[in-house]
């Protein structure tokens, strides 16, 4: 491969839309989420670090890096240290597949929808390992709860994504986005139920209220995160922010026609990035709104609710989509 | 090969985000279910009863107020009315009406604060922030009346210290209107929001028989169908004349406790309005000499958490001989242990918050030696010396026992 | 059957509203009159009876010698111990003690928190 292409690829991987852009955008989304959450409650939210508190997540990250990093005696040293690093690496990896300014992300393969789904599942398993390797009573309870919640939300999440793939008749993210732009039909119109299920399941995936049971602050003192401090905790929080980018970017690609929208020919990448940001902000608005609206459920209610209501709805959605394709309503 | 079931113990406290003050509960759990509860109180023992014996009656007014931050007017008012009975003086009608007004405003304050905390315990931070924003209204009213947002110090022996002018009356009535509207909105939310109902309905059951047997008091007992309220059963202050209803629910769960308190807040607003409309003219205090003859009196009031009991004994000087306080949380600790058994770990914070615990009120160390039937009370200094000696002899056994698994 | 989401209308109403947070210390807070703040003492009116020191629950008033009063004593206020209960204001027979509205009393130096006119 030529040197200039290699350089371009490295630039794409590291700066935009690779690691630095994703991390910075993750911090921006965390700021947006916290400000909205505060505004819903008639409060101010972060205010003083940077203009309007924009640098607050960055300041939190830097502060945590400077804190003391303690490994408890009862913890499994290798696993304890590896889990935060692996979480960040995996989040950055799946972010490479999300289209940010063009049809494809930095990487694209046929069937990459399933690859992305699988790797995001690994994230949930990593959280269980994080609690297990800590060797603390509270984290074991947190691990139990994460495991149960994992069983609950992964299947509806996968089903909602599959119904979108069924409508677009492809398992490649680039093709799904192309289908939406070619037919001028954002798939949220064809699969609205899948969109709702996706939002609810992603609340559970990100461990936000009403599904933040694994790290319920008032009950088990931060659950699986309780023994992590300093650098490791900083990386866990960074991984959570990157997951937020992933969830909203993925939703934008699948349901809202990716980064496409009206633009000036010639300046395309700029405008597409702009539309990508707008769409992910809309998804974050919905998630923040849902987050401030509910109390926290109990773990048995979550598992029952997801299996009794969401999975049948997801299956129904797939059947509806197939029916609509058969009748020729969806092109 | 047999699979043996292991239960393990989760300690909650002394420091835990669910508890605003320090106590220690040890839960024996099996997975998510709580099998047994063991509690240990006494972490915030401050030696108040001993300290009260070395201060004059007037100085003790301010000591008793600080037994609890949120039921401070109840403590001070009960103390003042008990000493008035001890000395044989009566407060004038305007004084008792203003005292009642402060009691009811404090009950509104305490119940709104509790509603926010209960919402926070079930993870509903939005409701927590909104309720506490509206609690500022009642705190501003109390600041206008008494000069301070907590620890109002309005009572003195013989009456109250400050009067309420007409202009202040109008502002209080306006504030009460806002509070009533917001409380009605919160009642609607609590009854209709499904995420609260699944966390609070049928949780923490305390049947009527258990409540009677274990001596539950206050809203905890009224939510289990026990119709007891000191304001109606043994009227004091102006409660003999103010018309009000006693709120009793009989579903015996956490939701009933929430609704009892919210309804009581609405009743308090009505009572405050009645008191303000019908405030009699006259003095607000009578004169009080410094020394009190020998006498002993038991006085009780309905604090926001239940029945609060004061026993004072005088001996002819200007300092009391003995002051004893029995606060409502102490009476509610045994019922809470019953409520927690058989529930889930996830229910522990909301059930614990359901009795509205005020652990600072309740730590007075009373020791009863069963074998010799001796009773004695220790101050903090004596407790400390004893515990240091005991741990020196038995310490290593205790440590081994505790960390056995 | 009750549905989740009963607070939604309220939440959306809050977005355009001004936040309920007071921006203290950038904005000064008004306290009502009658607020119990720092003690102010008028030596002209004092007679040196010592009743304020007897009634103070926190031991924040000590009597020291002074020629200016009738009984040759005057109070010294250690307001780092003060409870702001206003019992001294009530007990003083000449109304020499008043509680003002000043409440920003934090200091690095405990010895400086004494009123000793």
């Amino acid at each position: 491969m030529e040197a200039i292409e290699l350089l371009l690829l490295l630039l794409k991987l590291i700066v935009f839309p690779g690691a630095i852009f994703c991390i910075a955008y993750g911090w921006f989304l965390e700021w947006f989420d916290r400000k909205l959450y505060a505004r819903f409650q008639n409060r101010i939210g972060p205010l003083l670090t940077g203009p309007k508190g924009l640098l607050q997540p960055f300041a939190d990250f830097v502060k945590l890096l400077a804190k003391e990093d303690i490994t408890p005696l009862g913890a499994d040293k290798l696993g304890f240290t590896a889990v935060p690093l692996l979480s960040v690496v995996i989040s950055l990896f799946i972010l490479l597949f999300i289209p940010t300014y063009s049809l494809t992300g930095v990487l694209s393969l046929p069937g990459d929808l399933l690859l992305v789904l699988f790797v995001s599942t690994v994230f949930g398993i990593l959280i269980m390992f994080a609690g297990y390797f800590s060797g603390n009573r509270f984290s074991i309870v947190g691990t139990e709860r994460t495991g149960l919640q994992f069983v609950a939300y992964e299947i509806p999440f996968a089903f909602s994504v599959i119904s979108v793939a069924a409508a677009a008749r492809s398992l490649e993210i680039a093709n799904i986005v192309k289908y939406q732009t070619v037919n001028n039909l954002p798939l949220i119109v064809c699969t609205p139920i899948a969109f709702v299920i996706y939002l609810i399941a992603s609340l559970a995936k990100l461990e936000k209220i009403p599904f933040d049971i694994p790290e319920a602050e008032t009950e088990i003192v931060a659950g699986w995160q309780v023994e992590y401090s300093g650098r490791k905790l900083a990386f866990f929080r960074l991984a959570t922010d990157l997951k937020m980018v992933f969830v909203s970017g993925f939703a934008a690609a699948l349901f809202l026609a990716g980064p496409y929208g009206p633009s000036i020919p010639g300046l395309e990448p700029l405008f597409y990035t702009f539309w990508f940001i707008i769409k992910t902000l809309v998804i974050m608005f919905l998630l923040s709104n849902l987050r401030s609206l509910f109390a926290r459920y109990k773990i048995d209610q979550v598992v029952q609710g997801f299996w009794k209501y969401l999975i049948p709805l997801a299956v129904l959605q797939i059947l509806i989509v197939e029916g609509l394709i058969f009748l020729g309503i969806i092109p | 090969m047999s699979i043996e079931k292991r239960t393990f113990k989760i300690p909650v406290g002394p420091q835990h985000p669910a508890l605003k003050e320090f106590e220690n509960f040890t839960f024996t759990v099996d997975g998510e279910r709580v099998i047994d509860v063991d509690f240990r109180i006494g972490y915030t023992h401050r030696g108040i009863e001993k300290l009260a014996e070395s201060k004059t009656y007037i100085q003790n007014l301010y000591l008793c107020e600080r037994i609890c931050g949120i039921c401070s007017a109840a403590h001070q008012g009960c103390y003042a009315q008990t000493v008035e009975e001890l000395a044989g003086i009566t407060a004038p009608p305007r004084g008792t009406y203003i005292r009642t007004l402060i009691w009811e405003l404090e009950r509104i304050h305490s119940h709104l604060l509790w509603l926010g905390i209960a919402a926070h315990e079930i993870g509903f931070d939005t409701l927590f922030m909104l309720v506490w924003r509206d609690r500022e209204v009642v705190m501003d009213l109390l600041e206008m009346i008494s000069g301070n947002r907590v620890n109002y110090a309005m009572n003195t022996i013989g009456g109250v210290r400050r009067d309420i002018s007409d202009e202040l009356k109008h502002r209080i009535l306006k504030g009460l209107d806002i509070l009533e509207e917001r409380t009605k909105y919160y009642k609607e939310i609590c009854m209709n929001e499904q995420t609260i109902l699944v966390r609070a309905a049928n949780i923490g059951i305390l049947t009527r028989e258990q409540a009677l047997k274990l001596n539950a008091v206050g809203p905890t007992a009224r939510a289990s169908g026990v119709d007891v309220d000191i304001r109606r059963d043994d009227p004091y202050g102006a409660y003999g004349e103010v018309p009000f209803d006693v709120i009793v629910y009989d579903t015996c769960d956490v939701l009933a406790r929430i609704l009892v308190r919210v309804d009581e807040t609405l009743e308090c607003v009505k009572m405050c309005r009645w008191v303000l409309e019908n405030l009699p003219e006259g003095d607000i205090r009578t004169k009080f000499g410094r020394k009190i003859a020998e006498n002993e009196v038991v006085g009780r009031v309905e604090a926001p958490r239940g029945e609060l009991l004061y026993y004072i004994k005088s001996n002819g000087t200007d300092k009391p001989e003995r002051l004893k306080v029995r606060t409502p949380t102490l009476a509610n600790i045994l019922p809470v242990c019953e409520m927690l058994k058989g529930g889930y770990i996830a229910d522990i914070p909301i059930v614990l918050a359901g009795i509205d615990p005020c652990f600072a009120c309740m730590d007075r160390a009373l020791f009863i030696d069963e074998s010799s039937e001796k009773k004695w009370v220790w101050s903090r200094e004596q407790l400390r010396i004893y515990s240091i000696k005991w741990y020196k002899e038995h310490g290593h056994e205790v440590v081994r026992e505790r960390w056995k698994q | 059957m009750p549905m989740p989401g009963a607070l939604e209308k309220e939440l959306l109403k809050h977005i355009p509203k001004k936040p309920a947070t007071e921006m203290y210390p950038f904005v000064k807070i008004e306290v009502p009159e009658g607020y119990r703040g720092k003690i102010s003492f008028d030596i002209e009116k004092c007679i040196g009876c010592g009743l304020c020191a007897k009634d103070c629950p926190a031991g924040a008033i000590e009597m020291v010698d002074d020629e200016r009063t009738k009984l040759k004593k005057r109070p010294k206020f250690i307001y780092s111990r003060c409870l702001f209960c206003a019992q001294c204001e009530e007990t003083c027979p000449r109304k020499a003690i008043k509680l003002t509205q000043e409440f920003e009393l934090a200091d690095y130096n405990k010895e400086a928190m004494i009123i000793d006119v």
Side-chain angles (χ1 to χ4, degrees), chain B residues 104 117 203 229 277 287 378:
Chain B
E104 290 310 312
I117 301 278
I203 306 283
D229 188 336
E277 306 292 338
K287 218 159 154 25
W378 265 341

Side-chain angles (χ1 to χ4, degrees), chain B residues 233-254:
Chain B
D233 302 332
D234 190 5
Y236 57 93
Y239 289 112
E241 289 135 50
V242 180
F244 67 99
D245 299 318
V246 175
I247 315 280
V248 176
Y249 276 75
D250 57 2
T251 43
C252 306
D253 54 8
V254 173

Side-chain angles (χ1 to χ4, degrees), chain A residues 236-247:
Chain A
F236 262 129
R237 293 184 55 142
L238 184 61
T240 310
D241 291 341
L242 291 173
K243 257 206 296 192
M244 272 202 273
V245 179
F246 164 66
V247 158

Side-chain angles (χ1 to χ4, degrees), chain B residues 55 58-59 62 66 124 126 130 133 143-144 146-148 151-153 156 161-162 182 185 189 192-195 197 285 290, chain C residues 1-7 10-11 14 17 20 31-36 51 53-57 83 85-87 90-91:
Chain B
K55 290 195 180 291
I58 295 198
Q59 288 174 333
Y62 305 102
R66 281 157 176 80
F124 204 168
T126 305
L130 293 178
R133 178 198 63 183
E143 192 182 21
M144 279 193 277
S146 68
N148 201 356
N151 291 342
Y152 321 119
T156 186
R161 295 161 78 198
R162 290 188 186 208
R182 297 302 299 175
Y185 177 66
I189 298 277
N192 291 327
E193 167 77 25
Q194 195 231 14
T195 46
L197 290 177
R285 57 193 295 182
R290 283 182 182 255
Chain C
M1 172 180 130
M3 286 304 292
L7 271 183
E10 179 91 5
L11 292 185
H14 282 156
K17 263 210 288 197
V31 288
E33 61 171 87
Y35 186 79
R36 289 182 262 140
L51 280 174
K54 245 190 234 159
D55 269 348
C56 177
L83 294 179
C85 63
Q87 181 64 44
E90 204 177 296
T91 313

Side-chain angles (χ1 to χ4, degrees), chain B residues 320-391:
Chain B
E321 164 136 356
R322 176 79 174 97
L323 170 75
K324 161 117 192 100
V325 183
R326 201 285 326 246
T327 54
T329 306
L330 186 63
N332 279 335
I333 280 276
L334 281 177
V336 91
C337 290
E338 271 311 305
M339 288 181 222
L340 286 168
K341 290 185 187 157
Y344 285 123
I345 297 183
D347 294 329
I348 294 175
I350 185 65
V351 170
L352 212 53
I355 61 165
D356 202 355
C358 186
F359 294 118
C361 277
M362 86 178 195
D363 281 337
R364 239 136 250 112
L366 171 67
F367 294 86
I368 302 185
D369 189 336
E370 283 182 355
S371 51
S372 66
E373 295 220 343
K374 256 195 322 169
K375 292 197 184 55
W376 70 97
V377 174
W378 265 341
S379 75
R380 189 183 65 176
E381 196 55 45
Q382 289 164 309
L383 258 180
R384 206 165 59 90
I385 296 176
Y386 175 71
S387 74
I388 293 176
K389 225 172 43 168
W390 191 87
Y391 263 95

Side-chain angles (χ1 to χ4, degrees), chain B residues 140-326:
Chain B
D140 285 340
L141 285 180
L142 282 163
E143 192 182 21
M144 279 193 277
I145 301 177
S146 68
N148 201 356
R149 277 154 54 103
V150 287
N151 291 342
Y152 321 119
M154 280 290 279
N155 296 306
T156 186
I157 304 175
V160 297
R161 295 161 78 198
R162 290 188 186 208
D163 205 350
I164 298 189
S165 64
D166 281 332
E167 197 229 313
L168 194 52
K169 213 197 298 195
H170 287 305
R171 283 157 82 174
I172 300 177
L173 285 170
K174 273 209 303 229
L176 286 174
D177 287 334
I178 300 178
L179 282 172
E180 184 173 26
E181 184 199 321
R182 297 302 299 175
T183 312
K184 285 197 179 127
Y185 177 66
Y186 293 131
K187 180 170 176 188
E188 225 182 270
I189 298 277
C190 286
M191 295 209 293
N192 291 327
E193 167 77 25
Q194 195 231 14
T195 46
I196 297 185
L197 290 177
V198 304
R199 288 303 296 270
N202 288 322
I203 306 283
I205 304 277
L206 181 77
T207 61
R208 191 165 183 276
E209 291 73 36
Q210 281 174 326
L212 283 173
K213 188 170 84 157
L214 295 171
N215 203 5
V217 293
T220 314
R222 289 199 278 276
S224 294
V226 178
D227 188 6
V228 62
D229 188 336
I230 308 287
R231 295 174 290 172
R232 182 200 54 197
D233 302 332
D234 190 5
Y236 57 93
Y239 289 112
E241 289 135 50
V242 180
F244 67 99
D245 299 318
V246 175
I247 315 280
V248 176
Y249 276 75
D250 57 2
T251 43
C252 306
D253 54 8
V254 173
L255 186 64
R257 287 171 211 135
I258 297 181
L259 289 176
V260 162
R261 288 187 174 96
V262 173
D263 279 337
E264 268 184 18
T265 311
L266 292 170
E267 277 299 313
C268 290
V269 169
K270 285 197 217 132
M271 280 199 263
C272 289
R273 278 205 192 112
W274 192 95
V275 166
L276 280 174
E277 306 292 338
N278 297 304
L279 207 54
E281 305 295 324
D283 290 328
I284 52 175
R285 57 193 295 182
T286 58
K287 218 159 154 25
F288 164 66
R290 283 182 182 255
K291 297 203 168 120
I292 301 185
E294 270 188 46
N295 205 350
E296 53 181 354
V297 171
V298 168
R300 46 188 194 153
V301 304
E302 178 81 11
R305 282 157 187 75
E307 174 187 347
L308 173 65
L309 205 115
Y310 265 67
Y311 164 77
I312 308 186
K313 181 157 186 258
S314 60
N315 58 1
T317 62
D318 62 349
K319 300 192 167 78
E321 164 136 356
R322 176 79 174 97
L323 170 75
K324 161 117 192 100
V325 183
R326 201 285 326 246

Side-chain angles (χ1 to χ4, degrees), chain A residues 204-221:
Chain A
K205 205 179 178 70
L206 294 170
E207 285 180 6
K208 300 223 179 269
I209 299 178
F211 306 118
D212 73 339
I213 301 145
E215 40 169 283
E217 177 197 304
T218 52
E219 297 165 23
I220 50 175
V221 199

